[in-house]
Amino acid sequence: MQLALHLADSVLILAQRNAEWCGHGPVLEQDIALTNITLDLVGQARSLYQYAANQKGGDATEDSLAYTRLEHEYLNGLLVEQPNGDWAQTVLRQFFFSAYQSAYYTQLEKCTDKDLSAIAEKSLKEIRYHLRWSSEWVIRLGDGTEESHSRMVQALEILWPYTGELLEPADYELALGFLHTDALKQEWQSTIRNVLEEASLAYPAPAFMHTGGKYGRHTEHMGYILSELQYMQRAYPNSQW
């Protein structure tokens, strides 16, 4: 169940971050594109929370898992809870995560758990679009004007220290035996390196990496995210749409 919660929490928190852009995108077309990506992520979260609720049993539901847990009970990586910053930082965060998710779910699709495999298969169709969209934006900004390039360099400096955690699996990620860590790292690093090169951005040197999110130790941003995300359910318990 922890694996499903980790995967669900990661896409839910990223969706919550991306949703902050709704109505504020740089142009209408891209505002809509990011909103659609956000809806895809929410859909993925729902499937995973439903799976986790069935595993947990009792009165657990997708809503209770998403909206009533405490901060330390969320297992998402630290990357997805980082602030939006500017458009460059937002699209780079999405690119880093989508590249990771694409490599991860390709392996998850081969998992012996048929339900998780089915979720991965369905999600991959969306993830590949997310990766293509975010890659194009990283290249467009990195290889664009002096201003856009400068903003991508700054975004890279801010977000890179939160990427290492993605590639260091927690014990519950290894339990089902589907995850091949070396292959995951190689695919992610290759995707990142190729896009950064095309974007005229240097691949970062080895640096200190923040960890802890996969075990419920989060940054100061997480509490603020949850206060907004959980407000309606806590103000009106058991409410339903």
Side-chain angles (χ1 to χ4, degrees), residues 60-134:
T61 67
E62 60 176 290
D63 286 340
S64 69
L65 293 176
Y67 297 127
T68 64
R69 288 151 63 217
L70 300 175
E71 180 179 332
H72 69 272
E73 296 175 311
Y74 282 76
L75 304 178
N76 56 279
L78 301 177
L79 174 68
V80 298
E81 64 195 55
Q82 297 311 299
N84 288 334
D86 58 14
W87 186 249
Q89 189 170 325
T90 294
V91 296
L92 185 64
R93 183 186 60 202
Q94 184 66 54
F95 168 60
F96 282 155
F97 183 76
S98 293
Y100 160 76
Q101 203 183 15
S102 177
Y104 196 104
Y105 277 49
T106 297
Q107 294 191 24
L108 183 62
E109 189 178 14
K110 300 178 177 63
C111 177
T112 54
D113 186 307
K114 293 183 179 179
D115 292 327
L116 286 177
S117 176
I119 292 172
E121 181 182 9
K122 179 181 178 182
S123 300
L124 274 169
K125 299 173 184 177
E126 300 168 341
I127 293 167
R128 287 170 182 142
Y129 164 70
H130 302 170
L131 179 57
R132 184 172 68 252
W133 179 87
S134 57

Side-chain angles (χ1 to χ4, degrees), residues 2 12 61 63 91 104 112 141 170 187 192 197 207 211-212:
Q2 282 184 302
L12 178 68
T61 67
D63 286 340
V91 296
Y104 196 104
T112 54
L141 296 177
E187 183 174 348
I192 302 303
E197 181 179 357
T211 61

Side-chain angles (χ1 to χ4, degrees), residues 45-236:
R46 288 195 64 191
S47 295
L48 289 161
Y49 282 132
Q50 288 167 4
Y51 170 90
N54 288 335
Q55 292 287 309
K56 186 175 183 180
D59 58 356
T61 67
E62 60 176 290
D63 286 340
S64 69
L65 293 176
Y67 297 127
T68 64
R69 288 151 63 217
L70 300 175
E71 180 179 332
H72 69 272
E73 296 175 311
Y74 282 76
L75 304 178
N76 56 279
L78 301 177
L79 174 68
V80 298
E81 64 195 55
Q82 297 311 299
N84 288 334
D86 58 14
W87 186 249
Q89 189 170 325
T90 294
V91 296
L92 185 64
R93 183 186 60 202
Q94 184 66 54
F95 168 60
F96 282 155
F97 183 76
S98 293
Y100 160 76
Q101 203 183 15
S102 177
Y104 196 104
Y105 277 49
T106 297
Q107 294 191 24
L108 183 62
E109 189 178 14
K110 300 178 177 63
C111 177
T112 54
D113 186 307
K114 293 183 179 179
D115 292 327
L116 286 177
S117 176
I119 292 172
E121 181 182 9
K122 179 181 178 182
S123 300
L124 274 169
K125 299 173 184 177
E126 300 168 341
I127 293 167
R128 287 170 182 142
Y129 164 70
H130 302 170
L131 179 57
R132 184 172 68 252
W133 179 87
S134 57
S135 298
E136 290 171 353
W137 266 108
V138 171
I139 294 168
R140 179 178 178 180
L141 296 177
D143 197 35
T145 65
E146 182 178 345
E147 172 72 14
S148 68
H149 179 82
S150 175
R151 286 177 179 267
M152 286 304 304
V153 170
Q154 183 180 36
L156 196 55
E157 292 175 352
I158 293 171
L159 294 176
W160 187 254
Y162 297 98
T163 59
E165 182 184 33
L166 299 174
L167 307 175
E168 295 298 331
D171 51 4
Y172 55 78
E173 293 182 270
L174 298 173
L176 289 179
F178 71 90
L179 191 62
H180 301 283
T181 306
D182 289 342
L184 177 68
K185 288 182 178 179
Q186 290 174 8
E187 183 174 348
W188 186 84
Q189 291 172 346
S190 177
T191 300
I192 302 303
R193 194 180 300 275
N194 290 339
V195 171
L196 291 184
E197 181 179 357
E198 192 171 351
S200 302
L201 296 166
Y203 189 89
F208 171 79
M209 293 290 176
H210 300 280
T211 61
K214 292 183 178 183
Y215 292 101
R217 300 187 298 273
H218 297 283
T219 66
E220 66 274 17
H221 307 298
M222 188 65 172
Y224 294 101
I225 295 172
L226 293 182
S227 67
E228 183 174 286
L229 175 68
Q230 298 181 341
Y231 173 78
M232 288 297 292
Q233 189 60 233
R234 292 195 179 278
Y236 305 98

